[in-house]
Amino acid sequence: AQSVTQLGSHVSVSEGALVLLRCNYSSSVPPYLFWYVQYPNQGLQLLLKYTSAATLVKGINGFEAEFKKSETSFHLTKPSAHMSDAAEYFCAVSDRHQKVTFGIGTKLQVIP
Amino acid sequence: DTAVSQTPKYLVTQMGNDKSIKCEQNLGHDTMYWYKQDSKKFLKIMFSYNNKELIINETVPNRFSPKSPDKAHLNLHINSLELGDSAVYFCASSQETSGNEQYFGPGTRLTVT
């Protein structure tokens, strides 16, 4: 069975500050891992994915995530938050058989 | 061109009615999904089809019936709608060979009154 835990359903950062959204996963096989972003009234959009290549994955909009097998983590970071980053962020894990399990989501608020 | 499209975008209906939501993808993907997102943003998979074959069927009331006429389309029919069915329903597609990343439609906001 696979699962994802996102720590913190709400995260607030000041504009220009570091963004850190936490995700821990559980999977019985080497996983695919994903971060998605959802802006208000829109569908989810892929930010980045890990598929067993480089452990540090760079995505769109300046986001990146590091796969740490020893910690079963895949935290999402961005050095400097922009107002436009305010959205809901979902971590997800796939067992490579096309079933994807999503976390509960983290709402990122950016304070001017 | 929209990669994954859904119709309608909004659907308001009364309890007991039957309604359908349509989804189409033009990405050439083999797999399509239906997700339900509740008011707390929790995203739950409902169904998945691979080349028109049902491969994932989560614990969903049998009032919900997916239909895939071809691998580019996956429709969702809901019978005897209930208040608890109110949610946003997302269609998505993926290709296993590209790492299972999912492409989502814009969602259908269903409101049952």
Side-chain angles (χ1 to χ4, degrees):
Chain A
Q2 58 188 23
S3 66
V4 167
T5 302
Q6 289 185 244
L7 299 175
S9 58
H10 287 80
V11 171
S12 291
V13 300
S14 297
E15 191 175 14
L18 171 72
V19 176
L20 171 61
L21 304 183
R22 299 177 187 274
C23 173
N24 288 88
Y25 71 91
S26 172
S27 177
S28 57
V29 297
Y32 291 151
L33 292 161
F34 310 85
W35 276 99
Y36 288 84
V37 60
Q38 184 179 28
Y39 298 104
N41 299 314
Q42 294 186 26
L44 280 70
Q45 176 185 356
L46 182 71
L47 271 179
L48 48 81
K49 66 178 181 182
Y50 167 78
T51 57
S52 77
T55 56
L56 182 62
V57 181
K58 293 187 184 300
I60 62 171
N61 301 340
F63 284 92
E64 63 182 37
E66 186 173 8
F67 172 69
K68 291 187 176 180
K69 184 178 178 180
S70 60
E71 299 177 8
T72 60
S73 69
F74 191 58
H75 302 331
L76 181 71
T77 60
K78 181 174 180 177
S80 176
H82 294 168
M83 295 300 294
S84 59
D85 294 327
E88 193 90 22
Y89 291 81
F90 293 90
C91 182
V93 61
S94 169
D95 64 2
R96 303 179 183 230
H97 292 292
Q98 299 170 306
K99 180 176 178 179
V100 179
T101 301
F102 286 84
I104 62 170
T106 297
K107 186 172 184 176
L108 175 66
Q109 181 185 17
V110 182
I111 303 167
Chain B
D1 283 344
T2 304
V4 182
S5 59
Q6 294 178 229
T7 54
K9 189 167 175 62
Y10 299 96
L11 185 53
V12 181
T13 188
Q14 292 184 327
M15 287 175 54
N17 284 348
D18 303 338
K19 291 293 179 185
S20 292
I21 307 172
K22 296 186 175 183
C23 178
E24 177 180 4
Q25 56 97 2
N26 62 8
L27 298 167
H29 288 167
D30 292 331
T31 306
M32 296 185 71
Y33 310 79
W34 277 111
Y35 288 89
K36 179 181 180 181
Q37 187 175 49
D38 62 25
S39 58
K40 296 183 178 179
K41 300 293 186 182
F42 182 67
L43 200 63
K44 178 184 175 184
I45 189 168
M46 301 173 69
F47 302 103
S48 175
Y49 271 75
N50 180 269
N51 280 317
K52 302 195 298 176
E53 182 180 342
L54 182 65
I55 58 170
I56 296 174
N57 186 356
E58 294 295 296
T59 307
V60 175
N62 58 15
R63 299 180 295 102
F64 290 79
S65 54
K67 283 190 171 52
S68 182
D70 55 61
K71 76 172 193 177
H73 295 83
L74 180 61
N75 303 323
L76 183 65
H77 188 76
I78 315 169
N79 289 327
S80 302
L81 278 155
E82 300 178 356
L83 292 176
D85 297 332
S86 295
V88 181
Y89 292 84
F90 287 101
C91 177
S93 71
S94 72
Q95 186 73 14
E96 188 174 6
T97 53
S98 68
N100 281 355
E101 64 185 82
Q102 305 213 343
Y103 292 77
F104 282 79
T108 296
R109 183 174 294 277
L110 171 64
T111 303
V112 182
T113 62

